[in-house]
Amino acid sequence: MWCGRRGDKVSSLCLVWLVLHESLFSSSEKMEDCLAKKMEITVSEAEKRTGRNAMNIQETYTAYLIETRAVESQIEGQCAPVESLWRRYSEFELLRNYLSVTYPHIVVPPLPEKRADFVWHKLSADNMDPDFVERRRIGLENFLLRVASHPVLCQDKIFYAFLMQEGGWKEMVNETGFQLKADSRLKALNATFRVKNPDKRFTELKHYSDELQSVISHLLRVRARVADRLYGVYKVHGNYGRVFSEWSAIEKEMGDGLQSAGHHMDVYAASIDDILEEEEHYADQLKEYLFYAEALRAVCRKHELMQYDLEMAAQDLTSKKQQCEELATGTVRTFSLKGMTSKLFGQETPEQREAKIKVLEEQIREGEEQLKSKNLEGRDFVKSAWADIERFKEQKNHDLKEALISYAVMQISMCKKGIQVWTNAKECFSKM
Amino acid sequence: MINQYKFEDGPELRDLFITVDDPESHITAIETFITYRVVTKTTRGEFDSSEYEVRRRYQDFLWLKSRLEEAHPTLIIPPLPEKFIMKGMVERFSDEFIETRRKALHKFLNRIADHPTLTFNEDFKIFLTAQAWELSSHKKQGPGLLSRMGQTVRAVASSVRGAVKNRPEMFTEMNNYMETFSQKINLLDKIAHRIYKEERDYFNEMKEYGPIHTLWSASEEDIADSLKGIASCIDRCCRATEKRMAGLSEHLLPILHEYVLYSEILMGVLKRRDQIQGELDSKVDALASKKTEKDQFSEEIGKLEDKVERANNALKADWDRWKQNMQWDMRSTFINVAENNLRYYEECLATWESFLTSQTVDLHVDEDSEDRP
């Protein structure tokens, strides 16, 4: 696949991505329709650019090259042309926002982090740092592949245009008016606190996503510290190399052994760089699921909002029906200010009352229609959301298990390298 | 501990076995100090008994060392552990400090026992066999503090006068060697301590790392086993790291430290040789100016020449012996370090490989179940 195209190190990262992509292709029934099967998508390059932003202030940013190539014609022995365009991170963000709002029942794949987080001392937290940019490039490619392999999202026209149409894409997105459909944060927060009967599964899912987020953050933090310490252990051994070499100069019999042992200590010290770089990719895999937790919560929030809306509508309908009844029968069952004032200042005329009842009855009819459709909407939402959540769970379990396995593979590789170096060193020491 | 030492004549020919153990705290009105039990087993005729058990404190060891230095100024007397440890946060009577000191004292006595000349030293015998009060009274008989101070002053003076004039080439080479060796061994000592510290910090972080996976497994179903597997692997590697650290502190650190002290001792021995030579040289110079008392001088000079020759020969022989021992010690210590690391990596490798096996077995099981409609 594309790993080979770039020719460089086929690390265990590639192994993981290959396995990941295998999983994408095998875990969903509708895969034949998916864009990912029809088209090769890569984010192949990153480039520093300068330009002027919306405030006409000059800024530096990174642009990413998205390359696509149709797969089908390759089977016929012809190589389809590669199409490409450049996008920057903010455009990816726009795409994702659009997808989140337009498909609130879908667990939308997350973007790689905006700023480097969970860094350990060797990594810089600078967005322009080439290692960070490289990892982000991989993350963005992963994002596109996830969307392209999602049975629903891959069919979205805006997504397709994102891949194929450089000019005018932003306008196209804005024209959809998706920003208007977005729920306000405040509204969502309010719903979360006030909803009375959310679907239990969503409540449990919300707890799960909170736990997932908390535990993965903790894990990543400690991992970064462990990486730091491990780096220290390896690098200090490098000092042996220098001192052994200097010492060997004054020794006759021990000289050779010392000198060559010193060389192996240098090799040992240098080996940690590659080891930790690979581990960084593992951390990125975990980070993806850290960010997925937020996507899960978004779906739960949407459910809570819809449920709350439904509950409010039902409540409103009930109170209107009650009002109507009271007006019709003239009995006041519940205290109302209107009731009091009318008692104090005199009742209304029968005509006025009739008019009110008519209005209320109309509102009740509308309300019942709305309630019916809201109920339907709610049930549809729950059904389709839960289907996607099941799909997500399967994907998550598969990916995380693969990631854990790849971690073990990395550890094994590190141990084997260590054994080799120290075996060599031991041989040199024996010659001292 | 016995097999740490190189037996020059082979273990069958060893006839003196010494152990230092059982530190005990003594509290008096004036001071608190530690005594160590010194057990000696021997087949030598000069010893009245075949087994001795005495208690000695650090001061007694210091006394022994200075007696040996006086008796054999150009022999390489093994190092004693220092009086205080400045750099570490180690308290004077912490268990760690006492144990380190005990091991070093044990080494000190055994190195003397292995030395072809020192092993027959009378003060050494008394140190090993005399009861506390016997030792005290014997100590009082030695040359007083003042005369010892006088020697030191003369030593400093002669070195200032530049006793390097007629130094044989061999000893200049030794001096140059020791200067570099001293530098390098000090660096190695620092590096080794640094490695120990880094490993300890790594260990501390690892301790927290494993349990997080266990915590996570509580929220999961499908991947709970994998997570718990990882947690247990990390914990096992953690324990392996602990063993690796212990290996460092038991073997590498004490040896490097001993040779740091040795390098100081050797510089001192070379200076004392220079000083002895200096005595001869100054007498020879004096002779050159005074023609009258020639005979008396030449007798003195003859004696001094003998003294210088004896000193040079003693040092040369001991130097060769020391170098051989050093080579052996360094080789075996660093081999031990390598083996330590190999054990560590092999244990970790086995841990992760068995985890991987368990996971791929599960994967095959899962794949089978996926095929089922």
Side-chain angles (χ1 to χ4, degrees), chain A residues 208 246 251 268 396 432, chain B residues 177 184 205 220 331 345:
Chain A
Y208 169 76
E246 290 165 3
E251 296 292 343
Y268 182 69
K396 171 210 77 166
M432 266 163 63
Chain B
Y177 174 89
K184 300 312 160 197
E205 296 296 349
E220 299 286 344
R331 181 174 60 232
Y345 280 114

Side-chain angles (χ1 to χ4, degrees), chain A residues 208 211 218 223 225 229 234 240 246 251 253-254 268 396-397 401 407 422 426 429 432, chain B residues 177 184 201 205 208-209 212 216 219-220 222 252 323 327 331 334 339 341-342 345 359 362:
Chain A
Y208 169 76
E211 279 169 12
H218 191 193
R223 191 212 70 89
R225 289 206 301 262
R229 292 298 165 206
Y234 272 75
Y240 270 147
E246 290 165 3
E251 296 292 343
E253 287 152 36
M254 281 174 34
Y268 182 69
K396 171 210 77 166
N397 287 334
K401 190 158 185 183
Y407 185 73
W422 284 103
K426 179 175 167 181
F429 289 137
M432 266 163 63
Chain B
Y177 174 89
K184 300 312 160 197
D201 289 341
E205 296 296 349
E208 212 188 309
Y209 194 37
I212 300 177
W216 185 359
S219 322
E220 299 286 344
D222 275 37
L252 184 66
K323 277 219 79 183
Q327 193 170 329
R331 181 174 60 232
F334 281 107
E339 283 174 348
N341 277 287
L342 281 171
Y345 280 114
Q359 293 302 296
D362 289 347

Side-chain angles (χ1 to χ4, degrees), chain A residues 10-29:
Chain A
V10 184
S11 59
S12 61
L13 163 71
C14 275
L15 176 69
V16 174
W17 287 148
L18 283 168
V19 176
L20 165 69
H21 299 151
E22 290 304 309
S23 84
L24 291 176
F25 292 148
S26 64
S27 64
S28 169
E29 313 91 273

Side-chain angles (χ1 to χ4, degrees), chain A residues 124-313:
Chain A
S124 78
D126 175 21
N127 281 4
M128 288 295 153
D129 177 67
D131 284 333
F132 177 75
V133 168
E134 172 63 14
R135 285 180 23 247
R136 192 193 249 191
R137 182 192 61 73
I138 295 171
L140 291 174
E141 181 176 290
N142 183 52
F143 167 76
L144 292 178
L145 289 169
R146 291 256 192 230
V147 177
S149 14
H150 190 286
V152 172
L153 297 178
C154 72
Q155 303 184 34
D156 186 275
K157 302 275 184 301
I158 298 284
F159 173 60
Y160 189 78
F162 181 85
L163 296 174
M164 309 300 289
Q165 180 186 321
E166 185 148 25
W169 178 79
K170 264 207 199 139
E171 289 74 14
M172 193 178 164
V173 185
N174 290 328
E175 269 166 32
T176 62
F178 79 93
Q179 280 110 339
L180 300 169
K181 282 194 261 169
D183 300 313
S184 84
R185 269 298 186 158
L186 202 57
K187 218 171 127 199
L189 201 63
N190 186 44
T192 303
F193 283 123
R194 298 235 188 126
V195 68
K196 294 204 183 79
N197 280 321
D199 185 316
K200 269 210 177 60
R201 292 178 298 174
F202 284 94
T203 315
E204 275 167 25
L205 185 67
K206 206 167 58 150
H207 286 149
Y208 169 76
S209 65
D210 285 339
E211 279 169 12
L212 188 71
Q213 185 175 56
S214 149
V215 84
I216 295 186
S217 321
H218 191 193
L219 200 153
L220 288 171
R221 259 198 310 276
V222 176
R223 191 212 70 89
R225 289 206 301 262
V226 169
D228 223 350
R229 292 298 165 206
L230 192 62
Y231 185 80
V233 171
Y234 272 75
K235 285 300 178 190
V236 182
H237 278 83
N239 291 328
Y240 270 147
R242 190 177 45 92
V243 179
F244 279 171
S245 175
E246 290 165 3
W247 182 9
S248 72
I250 57 170
E251 296 292 343
K252 292 199 195 81
E253 287 152 36
M254 281 174 34
D256 288 338
L258 273 176
Q259 179 89 313
S260 47
H263 161 73
H264 291 297
M265 290 298 98
D266 286 335
V267 169
Y268 182 69
S271 68
I272 191 66
D273 293 312
D274 282 347
I275 290 169
L276 286 178
E277 199 185 307
E278 267 194 73
E279 237 189 61
E280 214 50 49
H281 292 299
Y282 165 73
D284 283 341
Q285 288 173 269
L286 293 184
K287 262 186 230 175
E288 192 191 13
Y289 279 93
L290 175 68
F291 302 143
Y292 254 125
E294 181 53 42
L296 277 177
R297 265 208 298 274
V299 176
C300 296
R301 270 200 303 269
K302 183 67 183 177
H303 164 75
E304 281 168 348
L305 206 70
M306 290 179 78
Q307 179 67 15
Y308 178 69
D309 215 23
L310 185 67
E311 285 170 6
M312 286 293 103

Side-chain angles (χ1 to χ4, degrees), chain B residues 42-303:
Chain B
T42 179
T43 55
R44 281 194 202 159
E46 316 89 85
F47 287 77
D48 294 332
S49 165
S50 62
E51 195 168 321
Y52 292 89
E53 187 177 310
V54 296
R55 294 208 75 94
R56 297 283 177 251
R57 55 185 290 192
Y58 183 74
Q59 261 179 28
D60 300 330
F61 286 84
L62 275 175
W63 168 85
L64 176 60
K65 183 164 159 79
S66 67
R67 293 292 292 167
L68 292 174
E69 280 170 352
E70 271 172 45
H72 309 280
T74 58
L75 285 188
I76 302 169
I77 315 296
L80 267 181
E82 292 117 317
K83 239 174 162 4
F84 314 107
I85 308 229
M86 278 300 149
K87 50 181 176 176
M89 295 299 144
V90 182
E91 267 179 51
R92 199 170 147 230
F93 289 136
S94 83
D95 287 342
E96 204 186 308
F97 177 78
I98 293 171
E99 176 58 14
T100 308
R101 185 176 259 197
R102 181 198 67 75
K103 282 200 282 219
L105 293 175
H106 176 100
K107 201 107 198 263
F108 172 73
L109 291 180
N110 276 281
R111 286 219 192 260
I112 297 173
D114 284 340
H115 194 288
T117 310
L118 297 177
T119 191
F120 297 111
N121 180 281
E122 192 57 32
D123 288 315
F124 181 49
K125 177 158 168 273
I126 291 173
F127 177 92
L128 292 175
T129 59
Q131 288 310 305
W133 60 269
E134 287 175 324
L135 184 63
S136 306
S137 77
H138 177 81
K139 276 190 192 181
K140 290 190 178 111
Q141 291 165 27
L145 185 64
L146 282 174
S147 79
R148 261 183 279 149
M149 273 179 65
Q151 272 187 357
T152 318
V153 169
R154 266 192 304 230
V156 170
S158 70
S159 66
V160 165
R161 243 188 290 129
V164 220
K165 247 188 339 190
N166 296 319
R167 187 201 278 160
E169 180 65 29
M170 165 172 52
F171 297 109
T172 307
E173 276 173 21
M174 271 186 210
N175 234 300
N176 294 338
Y177 174 89
M178 273 327 294
E179 268 178 29
T180 310
F181 178 85
S182 170
Q183 218 185 53
K184 300 312 160 197
I185 203 72
N186 270 285
L187 279 174
L188 286 176
D189 183 57
K190 286 201 184 74
I191 292 170
H193 275 99
R194 182 74 193 283
I195 290 178
Y196 182 81
K197 176 186 170 294
E198 295 288 341
E199 283 185 8
R200 193 190 52 213
D201 289 341
Y202 173 69
F203 169 72
N204 285 331
E205 296 296 349
M206 282 290 269
K207 272 196 295 192
E208 212 188 309
Y209 194 37
I212 300 177
H213 295 79
T214 310
L215 185 67
W216 185 359
S217 72
S219 322
E220 299 286 344
E221 281 165 20
D222 275 37
I223 59 173
D225 284 337
S226 305
L227 285 167
K228 280 191 244 183
I230 298 254
S232 108
C233 284
I234 294 177
D235 286 339
R236 279 175 63 184
C237 291
C238 214
R239 283 198 290 276
T241 297
E242 223 180 356
K243 273 193 259 180
R244 183 170 62 162
M245 272 165 50
L248 262 190
S249 86
E250 235 187 80
H251 295 118
L252 184 66
L253 299 184
I255 279 278
L256 288 179
H257 191 65
E258 196 188 6
Y259 276 90
V260 164
L261 295 173
Y262 254 131
S263 65
E264 285 165 28
I265 287 168
L266 275 153
M267 296 299 268
V269 167
L270 287 167
K271 278 211 176 69
R272 279 203 293 279
R273 191 221 68 88
D274 284 347
Q275 179 210 333
I276 292 172
Q277 170 141 357
E279 279 176 34
L280 170 64
D281 291 347
S282 61
K283 272 284 183 312
V284 167
D285 289 344
L287 176 64
S289 47
K290 290 184 182 168
K291 310 281 184 176
T292 46
E293 296 130 13
K294 219 173 158 180
D295 288 338
Q296 188 197 356
F297 261 112
S298 46
E299 196 189 321
E300 264 186 66
I301 285 177
K303 282 210 190 106

